[in-house]
Amino acid sequence: MSRLVDVPFTTDLHLRLLLSVDRGHNVQRAVRAATRTGDRVLDAGTGSGLLSFVALRAGAVSAVGVDRQHLELAQAVAEKNGLADRMTFLQADLMDLDLPPAVLDARFDLLLAFIYTNHPLIDEARSRMVFELRDRFCVPDARIVPGAVRYSVAACERLDWDLFTERADLDASADVLRSVYGLDFQPLIDSTKQELPIKRSRPTDPAATAWRPPTSMASVRFDRRHVRLLSDTDTFHMIDYAAPSFTGFPGEARLRAAVPGRVTGLLWTQELLYDGQPVWTTETYSPLAAPLAVSTGDTIVARTGEQWRATNTVPAQVERG
């Protein structure tokens, strides 16, 4: 079973995201470009209500904002800005959404679905959900924002962190705990070791960013002093919401080594797109199950199957060039 967890959306995280104004500008441009006069809008994962408010001001006639929590704050903001009479808020889980007849009196023209956690292992399922929301609740030619998600991948050596080293340090800490408390805490050590690949996969902790982020939140990347690319960045998968149905990730990534080195993991780039342009770009990291030494021209074959999906650890092998 996967140990991946979503980012907890506390109220202060909504505020931090709003204060990431470069990201906010991109999102507003995409929503305004997608909105037509008279649109009925479904805002999936409405959060602070921002996307609905932008669409209403751009000409939408009504909006339904759905989220699991914090709707009282979105309602208060809607009232503060004179938009409450055109907004309906519904507390529900998008994974099991059932819109009441009073809300679904007609299908939606515009689906706003910024529901991503910026980690491919979580967001693949969320993309499947966007297709389900589209097919269940929207008109056949509905516009969707973002309209596509592009995933790219490169082989790299990460210089600021190593999975084996941290696991070895945790094993050593078991002896310290035993000597201090006279108890064996190996189950706790093992659980912590299993969580490391996902906990170390992001450039920053989204819940710990400064109120006014010093770097762009519209493009969150690893510091290049800490990551050495060993291959070109290749497109891994494209999810296009204009497609007839959802298609999940392929079972492997094949990357040609451009320079010699020691591959410790894969660097993923996730781009949320509207009209072909990036709205929000983020990077994540998946460590290899074991590092690989490569020469120029070698092919790294990374298996993106069940082990990766469950642990964020990638089995891989080298085909010599």
Side-chain angles (χ1 to χ4, degrees):
M1 180 181 296
S2 174
R3 304 177 67 86
L4 300 177
V5 294
D6 289 353
V7 176
F9 259 79
T10 56
T11 55
D12 69 298
L13 181 52
H14 287 300
L15 181 55
R16 294 175 199 275
L17 289 174
L18 289 170
L19 285 168
S20 303
V21 293
D22 52 350
R23 170 185 175 272
H25 284 311
N26 287 351
V27 169
Q28 285 190 91
R29 280 196 294 269
V31 173
R32 286 171 181 157
T35 304
R36 304 288 182 269
T37 300
D39 275 351
R40 298 183 73 256
V41 178
L42 176 58
D43 186 0
T46 190
S48 65
L50 171 66
L51 303 185
S52 288
F53 305 152
V54 172
L56 290 172
R57 286 186 164 181
V61 67
S62 64
V64 176
V66 182
D67 215 320
R68 291 180 294 182
Q69 55 187 348
H70 306 145
L71 290 181
E72 69 284 355
L73 293 175
Q75 178 71 46
V77 176
E79 293 172 357
K80 191 76 171 177
N81 289 276
L83 298 169
D85 61 330
R86 291 189 285 159
M87 278 292 315
T88 300
F89 292 102
L90 179 64
Q91 185 167 335
D93 189 333
L94 290 168
M95 292 289 189
D96 189 28
L97 182 60
D98 186 16
L99 293 178
V103 172
L104 190 61
D105 57 349
R107 287 180 172 261
F108 296 98
D109 308 290
L110 176 60
L111 172 58
L112 305 176
F114 278 88
I115 56 173
Y116 305 94
T117 66
N118 312 311
H119 200 296
L121 297 184
I122 299 172
D123 288 344
E124 182 186 28
R126 292 183 172 229
S127 285
R128 182 193 298 274
M129 183 174 64
V130 172
F131 276 94
E132 293 172 355
L133 293 172
R134 180 199 71 177
D135 295 342
R136 291 179 63 198
F137 302 121
C138 297
V139 299
D141 58 348
R143 281 148 275 120
I144 302 173
V145 184
V149 186
R150 180 167 57 212
Y151 293 93
S152 304
V153 63
C156 70
E157 180 181 15
R158 187 166 171 182
L159 306 173
D160 66 323
W161 177 75
D162 178 72
L163 178 61
F164 176 80
T165 300
E166 188 162 3
R167 283 178 169 171
D169 286 345
L170 280 169
D171 283 333
S173 69
D175 294 333
V176 175
L177 295 175
R178 189 179 295 106
S179 66
V180 172
Y181 299 106
L183 297 167
D184 190 339
F185 283 94
Q186 195 61 47
L188 177 59
I189 298 293
D190 291 341
S191 178
T192 303
K193 287 165 64 177
Q194 291 176 28
E195 294 170 356
L196 289 177
I198 185 65
K199 288 185 178 294
R200 301 292 184 263
S201 65
R202 301 177 188 270
T204 59
D205 179 356
T209 54
W211 288 109
R212 294 297 301 271
T215 57
S216 169
M217 283 294 286
S219 179
V220 181
R221 305 199 317 161
F222 282 91
D223 189 325
R224 288 309 188 254
R225 294 172 299 178
H226 301 155
V227 173
R228 176 177 177 242
L229 297 183
L230 299 173
S231 75
D232 292 333
T233 300
D234 294 341
T235 298
F236 174 68
H237 191 57
M238 173 75 86
I239 296 174
D240 185 350
Y241 294 120
S245 60
F246 171 78
T247 302
F249 295 152
E252 68 176 26
R254 299 178 66 88
L255 299 164
R256 182 181 178 277
V259 292
R262 176 177 176 267
V263 180
T264 64
L266 302 181
L267 187 67
W268 301 99
T269 302
Q270 176 180 329
E271 296 171 284
L272 306 184
L273 307 174
Y274 185 73
D275 198 22
Q277 299 302 312
V279 177
W280 194 353
T281 302
T282 53
E283 290 181 343
T284 51
Y285 175 79
S286 295
L288 297 192
L292 296 174
V294 296
S295 300
T296 302
D298 288 349
T299 299
I300 302 106
V301 183
R303 308 296 181 189
T304 50
E306 289 305 314
Q307 180 174 333
W308 173 60
R309 293 168 185 271
T311 67
N312 195 39
T313 305
V314 182
Q317 64 188 59
V318 176
E319 295 178 356
R320 298 300 176 188

